[in-house]
Amino acid sequence: NANRKFHPDDTVIELENHVKIGDGSMQIFAGPCSVESRDQICFIAKSVKESGATILRGGAFKPRTSPYAFQGLGGQGIDLLLEAKKETGLPIVTEIMNITQLPLFEEIDIIQIGARNMQNFELLKEMGRSGKPVLLKRGLANTLEEFLMSAEYIMASGNEKVILCERGIRTFETATRNTLDLSAVPLLKQMSHLPVIVDPSHATGLSKLVKPMAMAAVACGVDGLMIEVHNDPPHALSDGKQSLTPEAFRDVSACVRQLAPLAFHW
Ligand code: PEP
Ligand code: MN
């Protein structure tokens, strides 16, 4: 059960290499929107690790709005992520879109359920049976109640290892890609015992806004951040506009680490 009433203690998720999510530490998930090549993912992995990232993100199966946009490298992308894991020791998070892909995720540390699949209930039940840590992203137009019910689907099927991710919601505002709902952070921490992270990259769609929103999220008491980083943002195959350069990420990561001890905690 995701409700704090029935489970007062914080859920702490421990990964293979002893990274803990939800224990009061700040975990930084960083990496490209899409895995594009071996050189790209290994270069970014080493760079973000040096700058303080603790988990590597990268999309292999991509939920793109247009069927003509880059759809990801699929199974090959998963293999490249595992090579980057071998080279850096960083645990991996990557998105699953269909349950038939699950056998490819055996060595993946955290399975991501993207915003567009937050209410794919059959997929959520399968995630429950998989027993793997799951990063559940809030749907584009879902309430916190609905978000927690989706977490409940995973937990009711036997898996308590769920991380909640606020990634911005649809509003009338068009200046940003989405509207970051920061009040969701303390509310989710109050309502549930699950770790909560924020993705300021998809929330804003604009690289210049990633640092201020990341710092605001830290002040609100998140357990982690998910940040898109690309070696050459203007030429990224997806989400270049919101991707940080490795240098910009180094600065954000350092500022986040400085601010973290001052954060509000529910
Ligand atoms: C992603 O993290 O790669 C992604 C597609 O995010 P979201 O599901 O939040 O849009
Ligand atoms: Mn992306």
Side-chain angles (χ1 to χ4, degrees), residues 2-258:
N3 197 317
R4 174 87 73 189
K5 259 190 253 164
F6 305 110
H7 189 312
D9 296 335
D10 286 338
T11 287
V12 178
I13 297 168
E14 187 168 354
L15 306 179
E16 221 174 70
N17 72 338
H18 308 301
V19 164
K20 286 185 188 164
I21 306 159
D23 68 341
S25 61
M26 175 62 56
Q27 300 304 329
I28 306 182
F29 303 57
C33 180
S34 298
V35 179
E36 299 175 7
S37 70
R38 187 180 192 288
D39 285 354
Q40 179 242 20
I41 191 65
C42 290
F43 171 80
I44 296 174
K46 280 180 217 154
S47 155
V48 297
K49 184 184 180 182
E50 268 171 38
S51 300
T54 47
I55 298 160
L56 178 66
R57 66 145 285 144
F61 297 100
K62 296 302 300 177
R64 304 304 303 283
T65 299
S66 165
Y68 307 115
F70 177 59
Q71 301 287 306
L73 295 180
Q76 190 200 344
I78 303 275
D79 291 342
L80 296 177
L81 284 166
L82 293 173
E83 283 193 43
K85 176 180 176 178
K86 213 178 280 171
E87 283 199 17
T88 59
L90 287 177
I92 304 292
V93 59
T94 192
E95 178 167 354
I96 195 167
M97 287 175 55
N98 188 300
I99 197 55
T100 59
Q101 295 157 357
L102 188 59
L104 297 171
F105 284 66
E106 208 156 299
E107 290 170 71
I108 296 298
D109 299 273
I110 304 174
I111 303 181
Q112 178 167 320
I113 297 293
R116 290 156 192 82
N117 273 319
M118 190 204 85
Q119 288 189 314
N120 184 338
F121 300 118
E122 292 304 320
L123 189 57
L124 297 177
K125 287 182 202 167
E126 293 287 354
M127 289 303 102
R129 290 191 270 271
S130 83
K132 286 227 178 230
V134 176
L135 175 64
L136 179 64
K137 298 188 90 173
R138 181 180 182 182
L140 281 73
N142 286 109
T143 65
L144 297 183
E145 276 302 330
E146 290 163 346
F147 191 15
L148 289 172
M149 277 300 159
S150 290
E152 204 77 41
Y153 260 95
I154 301 169
M155 299 170 86
S157 307
N159 183 0
E160 300 269 310
K161 290 174 256 174
V162 181
I163 303 155
L164 303 171
C165 180
E166 161 59 36
R167 45 78 72 209
I169 50 176
R170 271 289 162 88
T171 69
F172 55 82
E173 183 56 69
T174 56
T176 48
R177 183 176 181 182
N178 292 288
T179 296
L180 179 58
D181 180 10
L182 272 181
S183 55
V185 175
L187 277 171
L188 287 170
K189 295 293 284 185
Q190 179 193 12
M191 293 156 89
S192 103
H193 49 85
L194 298 172
V196 178
I197 74 166
V198 157
D199 172 351
S201 305
H202 291 91
T204 63
L206 298 166
S207 57
K208 285 280 180 218
L209 294 182
V210 169
K211 183 178 180 181
M213 293 301 100
M215 295 189 70
V218 170
C220 289
V222 287
D223 298 292
L225 293 167
M226 172 172 267
I227 296 178
E228 284 187 342
V229 180
H230 195 278
N231 49 305
D232 183 11
H235 295 106
L237 295 183
S238 58
D239 289 352
K241 274 203 224 158
Q242 68 196 34
S243 297
L244 298 185
T245 60
E247 298 72 44
F249 174 72
R250 175 185 294 274
D251 167 55
V252 173
S253 176
C255 291
V256 158
R257 298 253 173 240
Q258 267 197 301

